[in-house]
Amino acid sequence: MVKSPIEYFESQTFDAKATGTGGLSPAEQQFMRKYLGVDGSASAAILESIPEAKGDPDSAPHDLDQDVSYEATLREEPQVQLVGFNMDSQLFTIPTMLVQEVIRTMEPSRLPMTPSYVSGIINLRGRVTPMIRLRDLLGSTPPPRGQADRFTIICRCQGLQLGVQIDSVRSMYRINQEDIQWNVEVELGINGDCIAGLFKLNDKLVPIISVERIVETMLQE
């Protein structure tokens, strides 16, 4: 039976020791160096000056492993479990193995040198957390005035914690591997750069967002 988003997050067991107190990961340092021109202790000082987001106190993150290729792992699983979410009226998904929690979107601290799809950064449990405006990456129209994305899916990937801004969480899906079409960039064109794959649900194609590619694009030199 498919779990509701609340049932899923309540059932997860996260590593309570990995709360971001052990210093910045290499990916976090790379992000701060690239977009703020700071390193080491200066990065930590800047992070401390950013208002801290209020996440679920029971959802402490796992260690940020920079060497794991999550997409390669997903393609070997017999079934892929996904978190579904709405943006405008369209359904998108993110693999649950990358999802830490869902929080209400807060106003991030803006950075002048980041790409347009990075709306800023927040401090979530001492972690540098870039906020991703998925609409910009997909070439979608901006929301009506005063109706900004209300929620953020907090993900962890390639040594970085990041937030994907969305309208709302919808449901959970468990999809058989043979029902997923990977390597769809050529078919989708430029808007497919952050799409890992597609699957069909009720005769409609549903995209799987590639968090890994978003991180790689942000951090590439």
Side-chain angles (χ1 to χ4, degrees):
M1 184 176 68
V2 176
K3 293 182 179 181
S4 71
I6 292 177
E7 288 172 334
Y8 169 75
F9 289 111
E10 286 180 344
S11 69
Q12 298 307 292
T13 300
F14 296 103
D15 182 1
K17 296 180 181 179
T19 57
T21 58
L24 300 179
S25 73
E28 290 172 314
Q29 293 179 38
Q30 186 176 348
F31 179 88
M32 297 293 273
R33 185 168 57 249
K34 179 175 181 179
Y35 295 114
L36 283 171
V38 297
D39 217 337
S41 59
S43 297
I46 289 176
L47 184 61
E48 289 176 0
S49 70
I50 299 171
E52 190 164 1
K54 293 182 179 179
D56 184 346
D58 296 325
S59 295
H62 293 283
D63 291 325
L64 297 174
D65 192 338
Q66 195 159 8
D67 298 324
V68 174
S69 174
Y70 292 98
E71 284 192 24
T73 301
L74 285 172
R75 298 183 190 204
E76 295 176 356
E77 297 292 327
Q79 290 186 320
V80 177
Q81 190 164 347
L82 304 161
V83 177
F85 63 92
N86 287 332
M87 196 173 65
D88 298 326
S89 58
Q90 186 172 355
L91 174 64
F92 295 87
T93 59
I94 287 179
T96 58
M97 67 164 56
L98 299 174
V99 175
Q100 179 178 299
E101 62 187 298
V102 177
I103 64 173
R104 288 192 176 276
T105 294
M106 64 175 290
E107 185 67 26
S109 294
R110 300 184 184 279
L111 302 179
M113 298 176 62
T114 53
S116 62
Y117 61 84
V118 179
S119 60
I121 60 173
I122 62 172
N123 176 353
L124 182 59
R125 300 188 192 86
R127 288 292 186 193
V128 175
T129 309
M131 298 287 279
I132 304 302
R133 192 183 292 112
L134 195 57
R135 297 174 187 276
D136 284 11
L137 277 173
L138 296 172
S140 301
T141 58
R145 188 177 183 86
Q147 296 183 25
D149 298 321
R150 296 176 297 164
F151 297 94
T152 298
I153 298 179
I154 302 298
C155 302
R156 55 188 183 277
C157 184
Q158 298 290 299
L160 192 68
Q161 179 174 276
L162 69 157
V164 179
Q165 297 173 250
I166 64 170
D167 286 347
S168 61
V169 175
R170 179 166 171 177
S171 188
M172 303 291 300
Y173 303 96
R174 190 182 297 275
I175 309 299
N176 293 329
Q177 185 66 239
E178 60 267 24
D179 295 328
I180 299 175
Q181 180 184 357
W182 303 102
N183 301 319
V184 295
E185 303 92 328
V186 176
E187 296 179 28
L188 297 177
I190 190 170
N191 289 349
D193 289 348
C194 65
I195 304 297
L198 298 167
F199 66 93
K200 187 170 286 189
L201 181 69
N202 299 327
D203 295 325
K204 291 185 178 181
L205 289 174
V206 179
I208 302 172
I209 297 298
S210 176
V211 178
E212 193 165 326
R213 292 181 205 170
I214 294 173
V215 172
E216 289 172 352
T217 298
M218 270 197 305
L219 297 183
Q220 67 185 2
E221 298 294 344

